[in-house]
Amino acid sequence: MHLTLRQLKVFEAVARHLSFRRAAEELHLSQPAVSMQIKQLEANVELPLFDHVGKKVFLTEAGHEMFHYSRAIADLLNETDEVIEQLKGGRRGKLTLSVASTVNYFAPALLSTFCQRFPDINISLDVTNRETLLRQLADNEADLVIMGQPPAGEDLEAGAFMENPLVIIAPPDHPLAGERRVPLQRLEDETFLVRERGSGTRGATERFFSQHGITLNAGMEVSSNEAIKQSVQAGLGLGLLSRDTLEMELALNRLVVLDVEGFPIVRHWYVMHRRAKRLSPVAQAFKRFLLEEANTLLHPELPAGGVSAVAEE
Ligand code: PGA
């Protein structure tokens, strides 16, 4: 059986109105054009679809069946139209995000606001360290990546949307806890718990100390921010972490931020993707949301406005 969507559409209108004239009016066609479409459809299915008794039109048994299916097809076509429109407007679709471990501390709050606005989107969130993110960017695995300073020389589009201050943390009873403007050299006497190799925080820490000619006395290597905080609380050494990870411990006075010369190290959070990537409407909407709103949403105390980032590495 060979039939066209146009024939089905004309048939559906005639069957619904049981009138060629009213169907023609609805579809803005002439009555002979409607009759022609129905004739071709009947020829295609090789059965009559309408009975003409006097001036009245009735559906034949085949006509009833055809009406049932043509309505279902029309409904599906409308639904397809709607879904495509929603995809175009970014109101539906899938968003694949990969974020640095540290971003985990604020990404859920942002996603929650975004999802309230776009309840029909489906999000997958991968939390991993900088090294893995760089590989994912190279392999084009995620729609958007959120991490610290973008690598130099890569073909990336990156926008800074929020500051990422790195601070030195200690247990509240540490001898340096109450001191002001602790000289950097003084830190050479301390042991630091450091994040794993491949972590952006670790890279920034090493760069900072080497730029200032300070030898970092690295103690235990710890592969998560949470474990660093616990270890610092337990007195295993000092830590250097993003202030974004510390809200709860500072509020509960389980940890303190030391006042050290040159600190905080001000880094930035970037949203990035490969330059050539064709972002879906949902990904475009999320990127815009980060660049325009994330900073104010997470830091309502700061004056509204963009973040201007300087190259760090
Ligand atoms: P990290 O990344 O959580 O791997 O340390 C932070 C960053 O990219 O700066």
Side-chain angles (χ1 to χ4, degrees):
M1 179 170 68
H2 172 78
L3 44 83
T4 66
L5 282 177
R6 185 173 166 77
Q7 286 166 1
L8 274 185
K9 199 168 165 197
V10 171
F11 168 80
E12 194 273 335
V14 178
R16 186 160 28 86
H17 291 296
L18 287 175
S19 158
F20 282 60
R21 182 180 54 78
R22 283 215 289 274
E25 280 168 13
E26 180 183 303
L27 299 170
H28 305 292
L29 293 173
S30 68
Q31 207 166 313
V34 169
S35 302
M36 175 61 75
Q37 292 289 332
I38 298 298
K39 227 184 237 140
Q40 282 171 356
L41 180 61
E42 288 179 323
N44 286 341
V45 300
E46 296 176 8
L47 281 174
L49 300 170
F50 294 103
D51 273 338
H52 302 260
V53 180
K55 284 194 168 168
K56 286 197 158 181
V57 176
F58 296 91
L59 285 167
T60 61
E61 190 184 355
H64 276 291
E65 290 296 334
M66 184 64 88
F67 187 38
H68 169 76
Y69 287 106
S70 62
R71 296 216 81 160
I73 291 170
D75 285 349
L76 276 174
L77 281 175
N78 285 339
E79 204 178 305
T80 311
D81 236 25
E82 235 168 70
V83 170
I84 295 290
E85 282 311 310
Q86 288 184 351
L87 281 172
K88 280 196 213 156
R91 280 174 285 130
R92 196 185 261 260
K94 193 165 188 315
L95 176 63
T96 310
L97 288 178
S98 283
V99 306
S101 330
T102 306
V103 175
N104 190 26
Y105 287 85
F106 60 81
L110 294 175
L111 287 174
S112 149
T113 304
F114 189 71
C115 288
Q116 278 164 23
R117 289 189 206 165
F118 301 93
D120 293 325
I121 59 167
N122 204 314
I123 297 181
S124 119
L125 175 68
D126 187 19
V127 180
T128 182
N129 73 17
R130 180 180 173 90
E131 196 170 75
T132 313
L133 291 173
L134 293 179
R135 189 195 47 74
Q136 289 184 346
L137 272 171
D139 295 347
N140 197 22
E141 276 179 26
D143 291 326
L144 295 171
V145 164
I146 303 177
M147 65 177 190
Q149 182 72 20
E154 298 281 334
D155 189 17
L156 294 176
E157 196 151 312
F161 63 89
M162 198 167 73
E163 282 191 354
N164 169 26
L166 299 188
V167 294
I168 297 186
I169 47 167
D173 59 357
H174 191 277
L176 294 179
E179 279 194 32
R180 310 238 0 192
R181 314 292 301 148
V182 176
L184 266 181
Q185 279 71 18
R186 173 68 183 77
L187 297 181
E188 286 189 325
D189 306 336
E190 300 289 333
T191 302
F192 275 83
L193 302 159
V194 290
R195 281 277 307 274
E196 78 284 5
R197 274 186 199 289
S199 138
T201 308
R202 161 115 173 221
T205 306
E206 289 177 344
R207 265 192 312 281
F208 178 85
F209 282 109
S210 95
Q211 277 162 9
H212 289 82
I214 305 286
T215 316
L216 179 72
N217 181 9
M220 205 159 79
E221 183 173 299
V222 185
S223 67
S224 83
N225 293 317
E226 276 313 296
I228 293 220
K229 290 189 284 182
Q230 296 293 335
S231 308
V232 172
Q233 279 180 53
L236 287 167
L238 300 183
L240 204 158
L241 291 183
S242 164
R243 194 155 53 207
D244 290 330
T245 67
L246 296 165
E247 194 184 350
M248 195 172 78
E249 288 75 10
L250 296 180
L252 296 175
N253 202 30
R254 291 188 180 150
L255 290 170
V256 292
V257 171
L258 297 185
D259 181 5
V260 178
E261 249 177 34
F263 277 83
I265 304 174
V266 179
R267 306 184 72 220
H268 291 86
W269 291 119
Y270 289 79
V271 54
M272 58 187 94
H273 56 86
R274 295 277 290 276
R275 203 177 294 282
K277 188 167 181 67
R278 288 182 62 181
L279 290 186
S280 67
V282 177
Q284 286 176 28
F286 190 67
K287 180 179 166 185
R288 226 176 8 253
F289 169 72
L290 287 179
L291 293 172
E292 291 171 6
E293 299 183 56
N295 196 27
T296 316
L297 271 170
L298 294 172
H299 298 290
E301 75 285 0
L302 296 177
V307 170
S308 54
V310 283
E312 298 153 21
E313 47 206 66

